[in-house]
Amino acid sequence: MPRYVCSDSPDVTYFFTVRAASRGTDLFLREIDPLRAAMRKTKDRYPFDISEIVVLGDVIHTLWRLPDGDADVSVRWRMIKSLFSRAVDAPAAVPGQHLRPGEKGVWQRRFWEYAIRDADDLAAHRHMIWTAPVQAGLVKRPEQWPHSSIHRAVARGHYVPGGQVGAMHLPLRAHTTGAPSKLRDAVAAAPS
């Protein structure tokens, strides 16, 4: 089994993308409370700061800062995934993968991790997180999405509602295929 080791340099911020096993699901939104509880319990056991986060139906994008000398992100994600998986029902069908012992088929097995290089890199990833619901076609403005740290940014004056939404982080546009129609329809039908 591969062992992923992050930098243990101080003051490193990491960007993560983690996905549900099934693309197009609304699992993380339907089960937002167990997801929040799993994150809280993990943070209590293995401290880290969530600088930014957005939760979509089948994907989570987040920026984390870890304590100095502790760069074990894998143990943190393993605990989050495990706690969340235990709290939700197994999917009716497991998409194209064989389950290993202890798996429910809720999460993709791995996560995408990236160490932020500088202030411009941080700004680009922060912008990508804030605008992900817009890029996915779920809302017209980032501040309309309820499951995002954009609301903290607005409160702190780091983001002005009605501000720029364009594709500052171009790789996101290349990888985004749009929201699944049932999720987009559910968001459109939700009261404002």
Side-chain angles (χ1 to χ4, degrees):
M1 175 179 201
R3 178 170 162 78
Y4 300 98
V5 179
C6 296
S7 167
D8 58 359
S9 304
D11 297 328
V12 175
T13 299
Y14 294 99
F15 170 80
F16 298 98
T17 295
V18 292
R19 296 190 178 277
S22 296
R23 292 283 181 126
T25 183
D26 65 347
L27 175 67
F28 297 150
L29 299 177
R30 268 187 295 117
E31 302 291 352
I32 194 74
D33 291 332
L35 181 60
R36 287 179 174 146
M39 289 230 178
R40 273 193 302 273
K41 284 184 181 179
T42 302
K43 284 178 68 174
D44 289 346
R45 175 82 195 266
Y46 300 102
F48 63 95
D49 291 321
I50 299 174
S51 303
E52 302 294 343
I53 190 167
V54 65
V55 178
L56 305 178
D58 63 352
V59 67
I60 301 167
H61 300 295
T62 186
L63 286 166
W64 284 5
R65 293 185 51 84
L66 281 78
D68 289 347
D70 181 359
D72 194 348
V73 297
S74 292
V75 73
R76 289 166 171 85
W77 279 116
R78 188 178 314 114
M79 185 171 177
I80 290 167
K81 288 179 173 187
S82 176
L83 290 169
F84 179 75
S85 295
R86 285 186 229 148
V88 300
D89 293 331
V94 178
Q97 69 181 11
H98 299 285
L99 294 180
R100 294 178 183 161
E103 285 185 339
K104 265 188 173 174
V106 172
W107 297 90
Q108 276 189 352
R109 288 193 178 121
R110 298 200 172 140
F111 55 85
W112 194 80
E113 165 221 329
Y114 173 78
I116 300 296
R117 295 184 310 256
D118 55 31
D120 289 339
D121 198 19
L122 178 63
H125 281 81
R126 185 172 282 141
H127 181 81
M128 191 277 296
I129 288 171
W130 291 344
T131 61
V134 175
Q135 297 285 340
L138 299 170
V139 291
K140 293 193 184 316
R141 305 285 325 148
E143 61 273 13
Q144 294 171 322
W145 190 248
H147 308 293
S148 171
S149 59
I150 187 108
H151 306 288
R152 282 191 321 218
V154 169
R156 293 178 183 159
H158 297 157
Y159 180 84
V160 178
Q164 178 185 354
V165 179
M168 181 176 167
H169 184 65
L170 294 178
L172 175 66
R173 175 172 276 166
H175 296 294
T176 300
T177 58
S181 60
K182 72 176 183 180
L183 180 58
R184 188 174 29 244
D185 295 344
V187 169
S192 299

